[in-house]
Amino acid sequence: MRQEGGYDKIVEAIKLMEKKPLEHIIEYDPTGGDDNRRRLTGLHETASIDEFSWGVAHRGCSIRIPRSVADEKKGYFEDRRPSSNADPYSVTNRIVMTICLGQ
């Protein structure tokens, strides 16, 4: 993703994540999604918990690609859904399972 041509890999990864939004929401919140339901309302620069979205430089979507990444065609993306009290190991595990292992 951080090498030349990485933007295509970023989009591929996001499309894999788009297929499993509920699995991610459950892992992104220690209460299984209950806290995120209150936080991810679609208001105040948050995505709705009921809708998966992604975009470039869009702070109100589920996954954000920074403008500099889109311009340089390489870099990273930001999943904006994990709660502040999420277990980072559970979040990372879920992302790796989806993107790298296809589970």
Coordinates of all heavy atoms in Angstrom, one line a residue:
M1 N 0.8 -1.2 0.0 CA 0.0 0.0 0.0 C 0.9 1.3 0.0 O 0.4 2.3 -0.5 CB -0.9 0.0 1.2 CG -2.0 -1.0 1.2 SD -3.1 -0.9 2.6 CE -4.1 -2.3 2.4
R2 N 2.0 1.2 0.6 CA 2.9 2.4 0.7 C 3.9 2.5 -0.4 O 4.7 3.3 -0.4 CB 3.6 2.4 2.1 CG 2.6 2.6 3.2 CD 3.2 2.6 4.5 NE 2.3 2.7 5.6 CZ 2.0 3.8 6.3 NH1 2.6 4.9 6.0 NH2 1.1 3.8 7.2
Q3 N 3.8 1.5 -1.4 CA 4.7 1.6 -2.5 C 4.0 2.0 -3.7 O 2.8 2.2 -3.7 CB 5.3 0.2 -2.7 CG 6.1 -0.3 -1.6 CD 6.6 -1.8 -1.8 OE1 6.0 -2.5 -2.6 NE2 7.5 -2.2 -0.9
E4 N 4.7 2.3 -4.8 CA 4.1 2.8 -6.1 C 3.0 1.8 -6.4 O 3.1 0.6 -6.3 CB 5.1 2.8 -7.2 CG 6.2 3.9 -7.0 CD 5.6 5.3 -6.9 OE1 4.7 5.6 -7.6 OE2 6.1 6.0 -6.0
G5 N 1.8 2.4 -6.8 CA 0.7 1.5 -7.2 C -0.1 1.1 -6.0 O -1.1 0.3 -6.2
G6 N 0.2 1.5 -4.8 CA -0.4 1.1 -3.6 C -1.9 1.5 -3.5 O -2.6 0.9 -2.8
Y7 N -2.3 2.5 -4.2 CA -3.6 3.0 -4.1 C -4.6 1.9 -4.5 O -5.7 1.8 -3.8 CB -3.8 4.3 -4.9 CG -5.2 4.9 -4.7 CD1 -5.4 5.7 -3.6 CD2 -6.2 4.7 -5.6 CE1 -6.7 6.3 -3.4 CE2 -7.5 5.3 -5.4 CZ -7.7 6.1 -4.3 OH -8.9 6.7 -4.1
D8 N -4.3 1.2 -5.5 CA -5.2 0.1 -6.0 C -5.3 -1.0 -4.9 O -6.4 -1.5 -4.7 CB -4.6 -0.6 -7.2 CG -4.7 0.4 -8.4 OD1 -5.5 1.3 -8.4 OD2 -3.9 0.2 -9.4
K9 N -4.2 -1.2 -4.1 CA -4.3 -2.2 -3.0 C -5.2 -1.7 -1.9 O -5.9 -2.4 -1.2 CB -2.9 -2.5 -2.5 CG -2.0 -3.2 -3.5 CD -2.5 -4.6 -3.8 CE -1.5 -5.3 -4.7 NZ -2.1 -6.5 -5.2
I10 N -5.1 -0.4 -1.7 CA -5.9 0.3 -0.6 C -7.4 0.1 -1.0 O -8.2 -0.3 -0.1 CB -5.6 1.8 -0.5 CG1 -4.2 1.9 0.1 CG2 -6.7 2.5 0.3 CD1 -3.7 3.3 0.1
V11 N -7.8 0.4 -2.2 CA -9.2 0.2 -2.6 C -9.6 -1.3 -2.6 O -10.7 -1.6 -2.1 CB -9.4 0.8 -4.1 CG1 -10.8 0.5 -4.6 CG2 -9.1 2.3 -4.0
E12 N -8.7 -2.2 -2.9 CA -9.0 -3.6 -2.8 C -9.3 -4.0 -1.4 O -10.3 -4.7 -1.1 CB -7.9 -4.5 -3.3 CG -7.7 -4.5 -4.8 CD -6.5 -5.3 -5.2 OE1 -6.0 -6.2 -4.5 OE2 -5.9 -5.0 -6.3
A13 N -8.5 -3.5 -0.5 CA -8.7 -3.8 1.0 C -10.0 -3.2 1.5 O -10.7 -3.9 2.2 CB -7.5 -3.2 1.8
I14 N -10.3 -2.0 1.1 CA -11.5 -1.4 1.6 C -12.7 -2.2 1.1 O -13.7 -2.4 1.8 CB -11.6 0.1 1.1 CG1 -10.5 0.9 1.9 CG2 -13.0 0.6 1.4 CD1 -10.3 2.3 1.4
K15 N -12.7 -2.6 -0.2 CA -13.8 -3.4 -0.7 C -14.0 -4.7 0.0 O -15.1 -5.2 0.1 CB -13.6 -3.6 -2.2 CG -13.8 -2.3 -3.0 CD -13.8 -2.4 -4.5 CE -14.0 -1.0 -5.0 NZ -14.5 -1.1 -6.4
L16 N -12.9 -5.3 0.5 CA -13.0 -6.5 1.3 C -13.7 -6.2 2.6 O -14.5 -7.0 3.1 CB -11.6 -7.2 1.5 CG -11.0 -7.8 0.3 CD1 -9.5 -8.2 0.6 CD2 -11.8 -9.1 -0.2
M17 N -13.3 -5.1 3.2 CA -13.9 -4.7 4.5 C -15.3 -4.3 4.3 O -16.1 -4.6 5.3 CB -13.1 -3.5 5.1 CG -11.7 -3.9 5.5 SD -10.7 -2.6 6.0 CE -11.4 -2.3 7.7
E18 N -15.7 -3.8 3.2 CA -17.1 -3.4 2.9 C -18.0 -4.6 3.0 O -19.2 -4.5 3.3 CB -17.1 -2.8 1.5 CG -18.4 -2.2 1.2 CD -18.3 -1.4 -0.1 OE1 -17.5 -1.7 -1.0 OE2 -19.1 -0.5 -0.3
K19 N -17.5 -5.8 2.7 CA -18.3 -7.0 2.7 C -18.6 -7.6 4.1 O -19.5 -8.4 4.3 CB -17.6 -8.1 1.9 CG -17.5 -7.8 0.5 CD -16.7 -8.9 -0.3 CE -16.5 -8.5 -1.7 NZ -15.7 -9.5 -2.4
K20 N -17.9 -7.1 5.2 CA -18.1 -7.6 6.5 C -18.2 -6.5 7.5 O -17.5 -6.4 8.6 CB -16.9 -8.4 6.9 CG -16.7 -9.7 6.0 CD -15.5 -10.5 6.4 CE -15.5 -11.7 5.5 NZ -16.2 -12.8 6.1
P21 N -19.1 -5.5 7.3 CA -19.2 -4.4 8.3 C -19.6 -4.8 9.7 O -19.1 -4.3 10.7 CB -20.3 -3.5 7.7 CG -21.1 -4.4 6.8 CD -20.1 -5.4 6.3
L22 N -20.5 -5.7 9.8 CA -21.0 -6.1 11.2 C -19.9 -6.8 12.0 O -19.7 -6.6 13.2 CB -22.2 -7.1 11.1 CG -22.8 -7.5 12.4 CD1 -23.2 -6.2 13.2 CD2 -24.0 -8.4 12.2
E23 N -19.1 -7.7 11.3 CA -18.0 -8.4 12.0 C -17.0 -7.4 12.5 O -16.5 -7.5 13.6 CB -17.3 -9.3 11.0 CG -18.1 -10.6 10.7 CD -18.9 -10.4 9.4 OE1 -19.3 -9.2 9.1 OE2 -19.2 -11.4 8.8
H24 N -16.8 -6.3 11.8 CA -15.8 -5.3 12.2 C -16.4 -4.5 13.4 O -15.7 -4.2 14.4 CB -15.4 -4.4 11.1 CG -14.5 -5.1 10.1 ND1 -13.1 -4.8 10.2 CD2 -14.7 -6.0 9.2 CE1 -12.5 -5.6 9.3 NE2 -13.5 -6.3 8.6
I25 N -17.7 -4.1 13.3 CA -18.3 -3.3 14.3 C -18.3 -4.0 15.6 O -18.0 -3.4 16.7 CB -19.7 -2.9 13.9 CG1 -19.7 -1.9 12.8 CG2 -20.5 -2.4 15.1 CD1 -19.1 -0.5 13.2
I26 N -18.5 -5.3 15.6 CA -18.5 -6.1 16.9 C -17.2 -6.1 17.5 O -17.0 -6.0 18.7 CB -19.0 -7.5 16.6 CG1 -20.5 -7.5 16.3 CG2 -18.7 -8.5 17.7 CD1 -21.0 -8.8 15.7
E27 N -16.1 -6.2 16.7 CA -14.7 -6.2 17.3 C -14.2 -4.8 17.6 O -13.3 -4.7 18.4 CB -13.8 -6.9 16.3 CG -14.0 -8.3 16.1 CD -13.7 -9.2 17.3 OE1 -12.9 -8.8 18.1 OE2 -14.4 -10.2 17.4
Y28 N -14.8 -3.8 17.1 CA -14.3 -2.5 17.3 C -14.9 -1.8 18.5 O -14.7 -0.6 18.8 CB -14.8 -1.6 16.1 CG -14.0 -1.9 14.8 CD1 -13.1 -2.9 14.7 CD2 -14.3 -1.1 13.7 CE1 -12.4 -3.1 13.5 CE2 -13.6 -1.3 12.5 CZ -12.7 -2.3 12.4 OH -12.0 -2.6 11.2
D29 N -15.6 -2.6 19.4 CA -16.2 -2.0 20.6 C -16.3 -3.1 21.6 O -16.8 -4.2 21.3 CB -17.6 -1.5 20.1 CG -18.5 -1.0 21.2 OD1 -18.1 -1.2 22.4 OD2 -19.5 -0.4 20.9
P30 N -15.8 -2.9 22.8 CA -15.8 -4.0 23.8 C -17.2 -4.4 24.2 O -17.3 -5.5 24.8 CB -15.0 -3.4 25.0 CG -14.8 -2.0 24.7 CD -15.0 -1.7 23.3
T31 N -18.2 -3.6 23.9 CA -19.6 -4.0 24.2 C -20.2 -4.7 23.1 O -21.5 -4.8 23.0 CB -20.4 -2.8 24.7 OG1 -20.5 -1.8 23.6 CG2 -19.8 -2.1 25.9
G32 N -19.5 -5.1 22.1 CA -20.0 -5.8 20.9 C -20.8 -4.9 19.9 O -21.6 -5.3 19.1
G33 N -20.6 -3.6 20.0 CA -21.2 -2.6 19.1 C -22.2 -1.7 19.8 O -22.6 -0.7 19.2
D34 N -22.5 -1.9 21.0 CA -23.5 -1.1 21.7 C -23.0 0.3 21.9 O -23.8 1.3 21.6 CB -23.9 -1.7 23.0 CG -24.7 -3.0 22.9 OD1 -25.3 -3.2 21.8 OD2 -24.8 -3.8 23.9
D35 N -21.8 0.5 22.3 CA -21.3 1.9 22.5 C -21.1 2.6 21.1 O -21.5 3.7 21.0 CB -19.9 1.8 23.2 CG -20.0 1.5 24.7 OD1 -21.1 1.6 25.2 OD2 -19.0 1.1 25.2
N36 N -20.7 1.8 20.1 CA -20.6 2.4 18.8 C -21.9 2.8 18.2 O -22.0 3.8 17.4 CB -19.8 1.5 17.8 CG -18.3 1.8 17.9 OD1 -17.9 2.7 18.4 ND2 -17.6 0.9 17.3
R37 N -23.0 2.1 18.6 CA -24.3 2.5 18.1 C -24.7 3.9 18.5 O -25.3 4.7 17.8 CB -25.3 1.5 18.5 CG -26.7 1.8 18.0 CD -27.6 0.6 17.9 NE -27.2 -0.4 17.1 CZ -27.2 -0.4 15.7 NH1 -27.7 0.6 15.1 NH2 -26.8 -1.4 15.0
R38 N -24.3 4.2 19.8 CA -24.5 5.6 20.3 C -23.6 6.6 19.6 O -24.0 7.8 19.4 CB -24.4 5.6 21.8 CG -25.5 4.9 22.5 CD -25.4 5.2 24.0 NE -24.2 4.7 24.7 CZ -24.1 3.5 25.2 NH1 -25.1 2.6 25.1 NH2 -23.0 3.1 25.7
R39 N -22.4 6.2 19.3 CA -21.4 7.2 18.7 C -21.5 7.3 17.2 O -21.4 8.5 16.7 CB -20.0 6.7 19.1 CG -18.9 7.6 18.7 CD -17.6 7.1 19.2 NE -17.2 5.9 18.5 CZ -16.6 5.8 17.3 NH1 -16.3 6.9 16.7 NH2 -16.2 4.7 16.8
L40 N -21.7 6.3 16.5 CA -21.7 6.3 15.0 C -23.1 6.6 14.5 O -23.8 5.7 14.0 CB -21.1 5.0 14.5 CG -19.7 4.7 14.8 CD1 -19.3 3.3 14.3 CD2 -18.8 5.7 14.3
T41 N -23.5 7.9 14.6 CA -24.8 8.3 14.3 C -24.9 8.8 12.9 O -26.0 9.0 12.3 CB -25.3 9.4 15.2 OG1 -24.4 10.5 15.1 CG2 -25.3 8.9 16.7
G42 N -23.8 9.1 12.2 CA -23.8 9.8 10.9 C -23.7 11.3 11.1 O -23.7 12.1 10.1
L43 N -23.7 11.8 12.3 CA -23.6 13.2 12.6 C -22.2 13.5 13.2 O -21.5 12.6 13.6 CB -24.7 13.6 13.7 CG -26.1 13.3 13.3 CD1 -27.0 13.6 14.5 CD2 -26.6 14.2 12.1
H44 N -21.9 14.8 13.2 CA -20.6 15.2 13.8 C -19.4 14.5 13.3 O -18.6 14.0 14.1 CB -20.7 15.1 15.3 CG -22.0 15.7 15.9 ND1 -22.3 17.0 15.8 CD2 -23.0 15.1 16.5 CE1 -23.5 17.2 16.4 NE2 -24.0 16.0 16.8
E45 N -19.2 14.4 12.0 CA -18.1 13.8 11.4 C -17.9 12.3 11.7 O -16.8 11.8 11.9 CB -16.8 14.5 11.6 CG -16.8 15.9 11.0 CD -15.4 16.6 11.1 OE1 -14.6 16.2 12.0 OE2 -15.2 17.5 10.3
T46 N -19.0 11.6 11.9 CA -19.0 10.1 12.1 C -19.9 9.5 11.0 O -20.8 10.1 10.5 CB -19.5 9.7 13.4 OG1 -20.9 10.0 13.5 CG2 -18.8 10.3 14.6
A47 N -19.5 8.3 10.6 CA -20.4 7.5 9.7 C -21.5 6.9 10.5 O -21.4 6.7 11.7 CB -19.5 6.4 9.1
S48 N -22.6 6.5 9.8 CA -23.6 5.8 10.4 C -23.2 4.4 10.7 O -22.6 3.8 9.8 CB -24.9 5.8 9.6 OG -25.8 4.9 10.1
I49 N -23.5 3.8 11.8 CA -23.2 2.4 12.1 C -23.9 1.5 11.1 O -23.4 0.4 10.8 CB -23.5 2.1 13.5 CG1 -22.8 0.7 13.9 CG2 -25.0 2.0 13.8 CD1 -22.9 0.4 15.4
D50 N -25.0 1.9 10.5 CA -25.8 1.1 9.7 C -25.4 1.1 8.2 O -26.0 0.4 7.4 CB -27.3 1.4 9.8 CG -27.8 1.2 11.2 OD1 -27.5 0.2 11.8 OD2 -28.5 2.1 11.7
E51 N -24.4 2.0 7.9 CA -24.0 2.2 6.5 C -22.5 2.2 6.4 O -21.9 2.9 7.1 CB -24.5 3.5 6.0 CG -25.5 3.5 4.9 CD -25.9 5.0 4.6 OE1 -25.1 5.7 4.1 OE2 -27.1 5.3 5.0
F52 N -22.0 1.4 5.5 CA -20.5 1.4 5.3 C -20.3 2.4 4.1 O -20.9 2.4 3.1 CB -20.0 0.0 4.8 CG -18.5 0.0 4.6 CD1 -17.7 -0.3 5.7 CD2 -18.0 0.3 3.4 CE1 -16.3 -0.3 5.5 CE2 -16.6 0.3 3.2 CZ -15.8 0.0 4.2
S53 N -19.3 3.3 4.3 CA -18.9 4.2 3.3 C -17.4 4.5 3.3 O -16.8 4.3 4.3 CB -19.7 5.5 3.5 OG -19.4 6.1 4.8
W54 N -16.9 5.0 2.2 CA -15.5 5.3 2.2 C -15.3 6.4 1.2 O -16.1 6.6 0.3 CB -14.6 4.1 1.9 CG -14.8 3.5 0.5 CD1 -15.8 2.6 0.2 CD2 -14.0 3.7 -0.6 NE1 -15.6 2.2 -1.1 CE2 -14.5 2.9 -1.6 CE3 -12.9 4.5 -0.9 CZ2 -14.0 2.8 -2.9 CZ3 -12.3 4.4 -2.2 CH2 -12.9 3.6 -3.2
G55 N -14.2 7.2 1.3 CA -14.0 8.3 0.4 C -12.7 9.0 0.7 O -12.0 8.7 1.7
V56 N -12.3 9.8 -0.2 CA -11.0 10.6 -0.1 C -11.3 11.9 0.7 O -12.2 12.6 0.3 CB -10.5 10.9 -1.5 CG1 -9.3 11.8 -1.4 CG2 -10.1 9.6 -2.2
A57 N -10.6 12.1 1.7 CA -10.6 13.3 2.5 C -12.0 13.6 3.1 O -12.4 14.7 3.3 CB -10.1 14.5 1.7
H58 N -12.8 12.5 3.3 CA -14.2 12.6 3.8 C -14.2 12.2 5.3 O -14.0 11.0 5.5 CB -15.1 11.8 2.9 CG -16.5 11.9 3.3 ND1 -17.0 11.9 4.5 CD2 -17.6 12.0 2.4 CE1 -18.3 12.0 4.5 NE2 -18.7 12.1 3.2
R59 N -14.4 13.1 6.2 CA -14.3 12.8 7.6 C -15.6 12.1 8.1 O -15.6 11.6 9.2 CB -14.0 14.0 8.4 CG -12.7 14.7 7.9 CD -12.3 15.8 8.8 NE -11.5 15.1 9.6 CZ -10.7 15.4 10.6 NH1 -10.5 16.3 11.0 NH2 -10.0 14.7 11.3
G60 N -16.6 12.1 7.3 CA -17.9 11.5 7.7 C -18.2 10.1 7.2 O -19.3 9.7 7.2
C61 N -17.1 9.5 6.8 CA -17.3 8.1 6.2 C -16.7 7.1 7.1 O -15.9 7.4 8.1 CB -16.8 8.0 4.8 SG -15.1 8.4 4.6
S62 N -17.0 5.8 6.9 CA -16.4 4.7 7.7 C -14.9 4.6 7.6 O -14.2 4.5 8.5 CB -17.0 3.4 7.3 OG -18.4 3.4 7.3
I63 N -14.4 4.7 6.3 CA -13.0 4.6 6.0 C -12.6 5.8 5.2 O -13.2 6.1 4.2 CB -12.7 3.3 5.3 CG1 -13.0 2.1 6.3 CG2 -11.2 3.3 4.9 CD1 -12.6 0.8 5.8
R64 N -11.6 6.4 5.6 CA -11.1 7.7 5.0 C -9.7 7.5 4.4 O -8.9 6.9 5.0 CB -11.0 8.8 6.0 CG -10.5 10.1 5.5 CD -10.4 11.1 6.7 NE -9.8 12.3 6.2 CZ -8.6 12.7 6.4 NH1 -7.7 11.8 6.9 NH2 -8.1 13.8 5.9
I65 N -9.6 7.9 3.1 CA -8.3 7.9 2.5 C -7.9 9.4 2.5 O -8.6 10.2 1.9 CB -8.4 7.4 1.0 CG1 -8.9 6.0 1.0 CG2 -7.1 7.5 0.3 CD1 -9.3 5.4 -0.4
P66 N -6.7 9.7 3.1 CA -6.3 11.1 3.1 C -6.0 11.6 1.7 O -5.6 10.8 0.8 CB -5.0 11.0 3.9 CG -5.1 9.8 4.8 CD -5.9 8.8 3.9
R67 N -6.2 12.9 1.5 CA -6.0 13.5 0.2 C -4.6 13.3 -0.3 O -4.4 13.0 -1.5 CB -6.3 15.0 0.2 CG -6.1 15.6 -1.1 CD -6.9 16.8 -1.5 NE -8.2 17.0 -0.9 CZ -9.3 16.5 -1.5 NH1 -9.3 15.7 -2.5 NH2 -10.5 16.8 -0.9
S68 N -3.6 13.4 0.5 CA -2.2 13.2 0.1 C -2.0 11.7 -0.4 O -1.3 11.5 -1.4 CB -1.3 13.4 1.2 OG -1.5 12.5 2.3
V69 N -2.7 10.8 0.1 CA -2.6 9.4 -0.4 C -3.2 9.3 -1.8 O -2.6 8.7 -2.7 CB -3.3 8.4 0.6 CG1 -3.4 7.0 0.0 CG2 -2.5 8.4 1.9
A70 N -4.4 9.9 -2.0 CA -5.0 9.9 -3.3 C -4.1 10.6 -4.3 O -4.0 10.1 -5.5 CB -6.4 10.5 -3.2
D71 N -3.5 11.7 -3.9 CA -2.6 12.4 -4.8 C -1.4 11.6 -5.2 O -0.9 11.6 -6.4 CB -2.2 13.8 -4.2 CG -3.4 14.7 -4.1 OD1 -4.4 14.5 -4.8 OD2 -3.2 15.7 -3.4
E72 N -0.8 11.0 -4.2 CA 0.5 10.3 -4.4 C 0.3 8.8 -4.9 O 1.2 8.2 -5.3 CB 1.3 10.2 -3.1 CG 1.8 11.6 -2.7 CD 2.4 11.6 -1.3 OE1 2.8 10.5 -0.8 OE2 2.6 12.7 -0.7
K73 N -1.0 8.4 -4.8 CA -1.3 7.0 -5.3 C -0.6 5.9 -4.5 O -0.4 4.8 -4.9 CB -1.1 6.8 -6.8 CG -1.8 7.7 -7.7 CD -3.3 7.4 -7.6 CE -4.1 8.3 -8.6 NZ -5.4 8.5 -8.1
K74 N -0.4 6.2 -3.2 CA 0.2 5.2 -2.3 C 0.1 5.8 -0.9 O -0.1 7.0 -0.7 CB 1.7 5.0 -2.6 CG 2.6 6.2 -2.5 CD 4.0 5.8 -2.8 CE 4.9 7.1 -2.7 NZ 6.3 6.7 -3.0
G75 N 0.1 4.9 0.1 CA 0.0 5.3 1.5 C -0.8 4.4 2.4 O -0.5 3.2 2.5
Y76 N -1.9 4.9 3.0 CA -2.6 4.2 4.0 C -4.1 4.7 3.9 O -4.4 5.6 3.3 CB -2.0 4.5 5.4 CG -2.1 5.9 5.8 CD1 -3.1 6.4 6.6 CD2 -1.2 6.9 5.3 CE1 -3.2 7.7 7.0 CE2 -1.2 8.2 5.7 CZ -2.3 8.6 6.5 OH -2.4 9.9 6.9
F77 N -4.9 4.0 4.7 CA -6.3 4.4 4.9 C -6.6 4.4 6.4 O -5.9 3.8 7.2 CB -7.3 3.6 4.2 CG -7.3 2.1 4.6 CD1 -8.2 1.7 5.6 CD2 -6.6 1.2 3.9 CE1 -8.2 0.4 6.0 CE2 -6.6 -0.2 4.3 CZ -7.4 -0.6 5.3
E78 N -7.6 5.1 6.8 CA -8.0 5.2 8.2 C -9.4 4.6 8.4 O -10.3 5.1 7.8 CB -8.1 6.7 8.6 CG -6.8 7.5 8.5 CD -7.1 9.0 8.7 OE1 -8.2 9.4 8.9 OE2 -6.1 9.7 8.5
D79 N -9.5 3.6 9.2 CA -10.8 3.1 9.6 C -11.2 3.9 10.8 O -10.6 3.9 11.9 CB -10.7 1.6 10.0 CG -12.0 1.0 10.1 OD1 -13.1 1.7 10.3 OD2 -12.1 -0.3 10.0
R80 N -12.3 4.7 10.6 CA -12.8 5.6 11.6 C -13.8 5.1 12.6 O -14.3 5.8 13.5 CB -13.3 6.9 11.0 CG -12.2 7.6 10.1 CD -12.7 8.8 9.3 NE -13.4 9.7 10.1 CZ -12.8 10.7 10.8 NH1 -11.5 10.8 10.9 NH2 -13.5 11.6 11.5
R81 N -14.1 3.8 12.5 CA -15.1 3.2 13.3 C -14.7 2.6 14.7 O -15.5 2.6 15.6 CB -15.8 2.0 12.5 CG -16.4 2.5 11.2 CD -16.9 1.4 10.4 NE -15.7 0.6 9.9 CZ -15.8 -0.6 9.3 NH1 -17.0 -1.1 9.1 NH2 -14.7 -1.2 9.0
P82 N -13.5 2.2 14.9 CA -13.2 1.7 16.3 C -13.4 2.7 17.4 O -13.1 3.9 17.2 CB -11.7 1.3 16.2 CG -11.4 1.0 14.7 CD -12.3 2.0 14.0
S83 N -13.9 2.2 18.5 CA -14.2 3.1 19.6 C -12.8 3.4 20.3 O -11.9 2.6 20.2 CB -15.2 2.5 20.6 OG -14.7 1.3 21.1
S84 N -12.8 4.4 21.1 CA -11.6 4.8 21.8 C -11.2 3.7 22.8 O -10.0 3.7 23.2 CB -11.7 6.1 22.5 OG -12.8 6.1 23.5
N85 N -12.1 2.9 23.3 CA -11.8 1.9 24.3 C -11.7 0.5 23.7 O -11.7 -0.5 24.4 CB -12.8 1.9 25.5 CG -14.2 1.6 25.0 OD1 -14.5 1.8 23.8 ND2 -15.0 1.3 26.0
A86 N -11.6 0.5 22.4 CA -11.5 -0.8 21.7 C -10.1 -1.5 22.0 O -9.1 -0.8 22.2 CB -11.6 -0.6 20.2
D87 N -10.1 -2.8 22.0 CA -8.9 -3.5 22.2 C -8.1 -3.5 20.8 O -8.6 -4.0 19.8 CB -9.2 -5.0 22.5 CG -8.0 -5.9 22.7 OD1 -6.9 -5.4 22.3 OD2 -8.2 -7.0 23.1
P88 N -6.9 -2.8 20.8 CA -6.2 -2.7 19.5 C -5.8 -4.0 18.9 O -5.8 -4.2 17.7 CB -5.0 -1.9 19.9 CG -4.9 -2.0 21.3 CD -6.2 -2.2 21.9
Y89 N -5.7 -5.1 19.7 CA -5.3 -6.4 19.2 C -6.5 -7.0 18.5 O -6.4 -7.7 17.4 CB -4.8 -7.3 20.3 CG -3.5 -6.8 20.9 CD1 -3.5 -6.1 22.1 CD2 -2.3 -6.9 20.2 CE1 -2.3 -5.6 22.6 CE2 -1.1 -6.4 20.7 CZ -1.2 -5.7 21.9 OH 0.0 -5.2 22.4
S90 N -7.7 -6.8 19.1 CA -8.9 -7.3 18.4 C -9.2 -6.6 17.1 O -9.6 -7.2 16.1 CB -10.1 -7.2 19.4 OG -10.0 -8.0 20.5
V91 N -9.0 -5.3 17.1 CA -9.2 -4.5 15.9 C -8.3 -5.0 14.8 O -8.7 -5.2 13.7 CB -9.1 -3.0 16.2 CG1 -9.1 -2.2 14.9 CG2 -10.2 -2.5 17.1
T92 N -7.0 -5.1 15.2 CA -6.0 -5.5 14.2 C -6.2 -6.9 13.7 O -6.1 -7.2 12.5 CB -4.6 -5.4 14.8 OG1 -4.4 -4.0 15.2 CG2 -3.5 -5.8 13.8
N93 N -6.6 -7.8 14.6 CA -6.9 -9.1 14.2 C -8.1 -9.2 13.2 O -8.0 -9.9 12.2 CB -7.3 -10.0 15.4 CG -7.6 -11.4 15.1 OD1 -6.8 -12.1 14.5 ND2 -8.8 -11.8 15.4
R94 N -9.1 -8.4 13.4 CA -10.3 -8.4 12.5 C -9.9 -7.9 11.1 O -10.3 -8.4 10.1 CB -11.4 -7.6 13.1 CG -12.7 -7.5 12.3 CD -13.4 -8.9 12.3 NE -13.2 -9.5 11.0 CZ -13.5 -10.7 10.6 NH1 -14.0 -11.5 11.5 NH2 -13.3 -11.2 9.4
I95 N -9.1 -6.8 11.1 CA -8.6 -6.3 9.8 C -7.8 -7.2 9.1 O -8.0 -7.5 7.9 CB -7.9 -4.9 10.1 CG1 -8.9 -3.9 10.6 CG2 -7.2 -4.4 8.8 CD1 -8.3 -2.6 11.0
V96 N -6.8 -7.9 9.8 CA -5.9 -8.9 9.1 C -6.8 -10.1 8.6 O -6.6 -10.5 7.5 CB -4.8 -9.3 10.1 CG1 -4.1 -10.5 9.5 CG2 -3.9 -8.2 10.3
M97 N -7.7 -10.5 9.4 CA -8.5 -11.7 9.0 C -9.3 -11.3 7.7 O -9.4 -12.2 6.8 CB -9.5 -12.1 10.1 CG -8.8 -12.8 11.2 SD -9.9 -13.2 12.6 CE -11.1 -14.2 11.8
T98 N -9.8 -10.1 7.6 CA -10.6 -9.7 6.5 C -9.7 -9.5 5.2 O -10.0 -10.0 4.2 CB -11.4 -8.5 6.8 OG1 -12.3 -8.8 7.8 CG2 -12.2 -8.0 5.6
I99 N -8.7 -8.7 5.4 CA -7.9 -8.3 4.2 C -6.9 -9.3 3.8 O -6.7 -9.6 2.6 CB -7.2 -7.0 4.5 CG1 -8.2 -5.8 4.7 CG2 -6.2 -6.6 3.4 CD1 -7.6 -4.5 5.2
C100 N -6.2 -9.9 4.8 CA -5.1 -10.8 4.4 C -5.5 -12.3 4.3 O -5.0 -13.0 3.5 CB -4.0 -10.7 5.5 SG -3.3 -9.1 5.6
L101 N -6.5 -12.7 5.1 CA -6.9 -14.1 5.2 C -8.2 -14.4 4.5 O -8.6 -15.5 4.3 CB -6.9 -14.6 6.6 CG -5.6 -14.4 7.4 CD1 -5.8 -14.9 8.8 CD2 -4.5 -15.2 6.7
G102 N -8.9 -13.3 4.1 CA -10.2 -13.5 3.4 C -11.3 -14.2 4.3 O -12.2 -14.8 3.8
Q103 N -11.2 -13.9 5.6 CA -12.2 -14.5 6.5 C -13.1 -13.5 7.1 O -12.7 -12.4 7.4 CB -11.5 -15.3 7.6 CG -10.6 -16.4 7.2 CD -9.8 -17.0 8.3 OE1 -10.0 -16.7 9.5 NE2 -8.9 -17.9 8.0

